[in-house]
Amino acid sequence: MLFEVLQGEVIDGSWKNEQVKQALDLCLACKACKSECPANVDLATYKAEFLSHYYEHKRRPLHAYAFGMIDRWAQLGSHAPRLANFMSTAPKQLIQKALDLAPQRQMPRLATRSFQQWARKHRVPASGGSVILWPDTFNNYYTPETSQAALGCTYACRIQRHGPAKASLLRTAALRLRHA
């Protein structure tokens, strides 16, 4: 069915076909099919394309928004991490039901201080190097000790670095390095 939809052949509902969506819900998007399939079929890419069209006229599920904007939620929660951690665990059953989470899963806990907050306190220089330390969402808000260890490695190896600035500044620096 999916192949027919992607080829533009007529199927009832085409990009809105519930049977195709249900079949793709079983795909983990791990890309193992691409490396294992002799025809080099990349089902994860097909899934992404189908879901993009499928949700053009439908509202995405709440968990897609919750996890799709985790960087924003983490940044907001980092202003009061203890409160955010409490709120994410207190009404556990309500959150699990609303976000369609398995009962065995737990919400990740925010660190008491993000990597960027720690770096500002320790006056890590924000420019002038050849390595960019990129404070991604999880290493910044949930496990900042990983980024702190990476920074320690750059000091130990005497590597010049670009420190953790605002994400937009880091993107600009990365683009400049790519075009240099």
Side-chain angles (χ1 to χ4, degrees):
M1 281 189 286
L2 178 61
F3 181 75
E4 293 165 344
V5 169
L6 291 171
Q7 294 300 316
E9 295 178 18
V10 178
I11 295 181
D12 288 342
S14 286
W15 295 111
K16 300 174 189 172
N17 189 302
E18 282 297 321
Q19 292 172 317
V20 173
K21 183 184 179 302
Q22 288 174 3
L24 289 174
D25 280 344
L26 301 173
C27 170
L28 300 175
C30 65
K31 295 207 174 242
C33 56
K34 184 175 181 185
S35 61
E36 299 295 323
C37 178
N40 215 18
V41 173
D42 184 357
L43 199 58
T45 300
Y46 288 154
K47 178 181 181 176
E49 180 71 22
F50 176 84
L51 291 177
S52 172
H53 289 286
Y54 180 83
Y55 286 116
E56 281 176 352
H57 304 289
K58 292 184 179 217
R59 190 168 174 84
R60 292 182 182 269
L62 182 60
H63 67 269
Y65 293 103
F67 294 110
M69 298 190 313
I70 193 166
D71 58 328
R72 293 181 185 129
W73 301 125
Q75 182 181 20
L76 183 64
S78 72
H79 296 290
R82 287 181 181 93
L83 177 62
N85 287 335
F86 174 75
M87 294 303 291
S88 71
T89 58
K92 185 177 180 180
Q93 292 167 338
L94 178 66
I95 290 172
Q96 286 177 328
K97 187 171 178 118
L99 297 180
D100 196 28
L101 297 175
Q104 308 88 306
R105 303 291 300 170
Q106 293 181 2
M107 296 293 285
R109 297 185 56 76
L110 287 166
T112 54
R113 183 183 304 153
S114 75
F115 176 66
Q116 289 177 320
Q117 291 167 342
W118 175 88
R120 277 192 298 274
K121 181 179 180 192
H122 288 84
R123 297 189 176 157
V124 174
S127 64
S130 58
V131 173
I132 296 175
L133 289 178
W134 199 280
D136 66 277
T137 299
F138 287 91
N139 285 317
N140 187 41
Y141 296 108
Y142 297 100
T143 56
E145 58 276 4
T146 306
S147 297
Q148 293 165 10
L151 180 64
C153 289
T154 64
Y155 282 122
C157 296
R158 299 174 190 225
I159 297 173
Q160 292 183 339
R161 68 217 137 268
H162 291 283
K166 290 187 176 182
S168 60
L169 296 176
L170 285 173
R171 284 188 205 103
T172 302
L175 288 172
R176 285 185 183 151
L177 286 174
R178 193 178 313 152
H179 296 301

